[in-house]
Amino acid sequence: MDRLTVHAPAKLNLVLDVLGKRPDGFHELRTIFERISLEDEITLKRNNSGKIRIHCTHPHVPRSPQNLVYKVAKILAQDFSIKEGLDINIIKNIPVAAGLAGGSSNAAAVLLGLNRLWQLGLNNTQLDDYAGRLGSDINFFLYDTSYALGTGRGERIKPLNVKTKLWHVLVTPRVKMLTKDVFSHLKLNLTNKKDNVNILLPFLRKGDLLRLAGALSNDLEPAILLLRPDFIRLKKKLLVAGSLGVCFSGSGPSVFALAESHKHALSLRAKFDRRYTQSFVVSTL
Ligand code: C5P
């Protein structure tokens, strides 16, 4: 096999509870991930240059060793003494630094892809270990599941057997928000903390969209709004347009609305402010 094309979907967080700050500086989380139908396409191609080269036309995707996909390829090449080179071509559809884990999903896709292309024979535990070492959001994408519970830094994954298919309008303002900055603006209030995961889960399982909409929550919202107070207007506009519920995804700035159906999502987006050029109708994948 000389080349391989893989798809890398985005995620939303239906709930994101921050339970506390850990001694290693990371935050302990409880989150529900949803895989969505907004995907990048990545082609891996062997070459004889001995170099790892990233190709992507998107201006905000680094082609340097800082890119997570480079780190994945580099560490695997080192660990398995692979001397040949690799071209990684990324067709970017997922907005960058947007709370949708596009970079992490690319990393997971390359990890799974190289395991096949280079015939490394890594088992699920080993793949999980590589993913967890490189980031907090990569592991979820190793599991073939629509929804999962994420704990620890977000890297400990328990797939959820939930059949409900959701429809959303996703709006991403053209502003990069760094996860690190958002976490550093977080003021933790841990008294009377609600278990938002277990509040939402039964509604998700039953497909009770109205109650599900009311249970969407993200503890990073106050920190996102501290950095960008104007984003509260975006949430309000989506609600006024007729969404069932609205929430930030991850560390923002992406905001997603819960719609009743595909048709409802299309009509919401049509009504929505044309200034937001990055808006998508997406469903659970
Ligand atoms: O792991 P990842 O590279 O996605 O995290 C980016 C940054 O976000 C971390 O360096 C850390 O500052 C913050 N973070 C955190 N707690 C988490 C995940 C991320 O504080 N659970």
Side-chain angles (χ1 to χ4, degrees):
M1 193 164 36
D2 180 45
R3 66 161 72 202
L4 187 64
T5 296
V6 284
H7 290 268
K11 61 83 179 159
L12 299 178
N13 303 87
L14 299 178
V15 170
L16 200 165
D17 278 359
V18 181
L19 305 181
K21 193 164 181 184
R22 316 189 327 181
D24 64 4
F26 282 87
H27 291 78
E28 191 70 16
L29 308 180
R30 262 171 80 76
T31 184
I32 297 179
F33 290 111
E34 179 192 2
R35 199 183 223 85
I36 55 165
S37 60
L38 175 63
E39 295 181 289
D40 294 338
E41 190 182 297
I42 301 179
T43 300
L44 304 170
K45 192 167 170 286
R46 312 170 101 131
N47 70 45
N48 296 323
S49 73
K51 294 194 181 103
I52 298 161
R53 302 184 295 224
I54 299 174
H55 311 271
C56 184
T57 52
H58 193 293
H60 295 138
V61 172
R63 261 144 284 166
S64 63
Q66 280 164 346
N67 193 316
L68 269 180
V69 300
Y70 184 98
K71 292 183 186 172
V72 170
K74 185 77 188 167
I75 197 170
L76 291 178
Q78 268 169 3
D79 288 0
F80 290 86
S81 306
I82 288 166
K83 301 280 179 267
E84 65 180 49
L86 180 73
D87 285 295
I88 306 174
N89 190 63
I90 306 172
I91 301 176
K92 204 58 182 144
N93 301 311
I94 305 172
V96 177
L100 303 171
S104 298
S105 177
N106 289 180
V110 170
L111 183 54
L112 292 170
L114 286 180
N115 195 30
R116 287 167 59 199
L117 189 75
W118 286 344
Q119 300 185 331
L120 306 177
L122 292 167
N123 63 29
N124 291 344
T125 311
Q126 291 168 312
L127 290 166
D128 233 19
D129 183 53
Y130 274 108
R133 276 196 269 153
L134 291 165
S136 307
D137 267 349
I138 304 174
N139 298 72
F140 168 61
F141 297 103
L142 298 178
Y143 292 76
D144 186 17
T145 182
S146 299
Y147 302 97
L149 171 69
T151 55
R153 283 184 286 126
E155 92 288 12
R156 287 216 314 263
I157 301 298
K158 184 174 161 237
L160 295 168
N161 184 15
V162 173
K163 300 278 177 269
T164 310
K165 178 173 179 176
L166 302 177
W167 284 97
H168 307 282
V169 177
L170 170 65
V171 182
T172 307
R174 290 190 184 274
V175 175
K176 277 209 285 184
M177 289 196 99
L178 295 180
T179 307
K180 199 165 78 160
D181 292 344
V182 174
F183 273 105
S184 71
H185 282 78
L186 186 66
K187 295 188 180 81
L188 284 173
N189 176 9
L190 302 173
T191 43
N192 298 322
K193 179 91 191 79
K194 285 194 286 179
D195 180 353
N196 292 306
V197 164
N198 282 313
I199 293 173
L200 180 132
L201 253 184
F203 305 138
L204 179 64
R205 286 190 197 285
K206 275 187 248 160
D208 183 340
L209 297 184
L210 275 181
R211 290 201 172 84
L212 178 68
L216 299 171
S217 76
N218 185 333
D219 281 353
L220 294 176
E221 176 168 322
I224 297 168
L225 292 176
L226 209 60
L227 288 164
R228 288 299 300 251
D230 53 317
F231 287 166
I232 195 74
R233 283 209 302 272
L234 173 56
K235 276 190 80 181
K236 282 191 184 143
K237 279 183 188 172
L238 271 168
L239 270 178
V240 168
S243 311
L244 298 178
V246 182
C247 193
F248 283 104
S249 181
S251 54
S254 296
V255 170
F256 65 93
L258 181 64
E260 283 164 26
S261 60
H262 186 199
K263 204 168 140 210
H264 182 218
L266 288 172
S267 81
L268 275 176
R269 191 180 57 172
K271 269 193 261 171
F272 197 67
D273 203 324
R274 304 212 181 281
R275 268 183 311 151
Y276 295 101
T277 49
Q278 289 190 117
S279 67
F280 312 87
V281 167
V282 298
S283 66
T284 313
L285 201 64

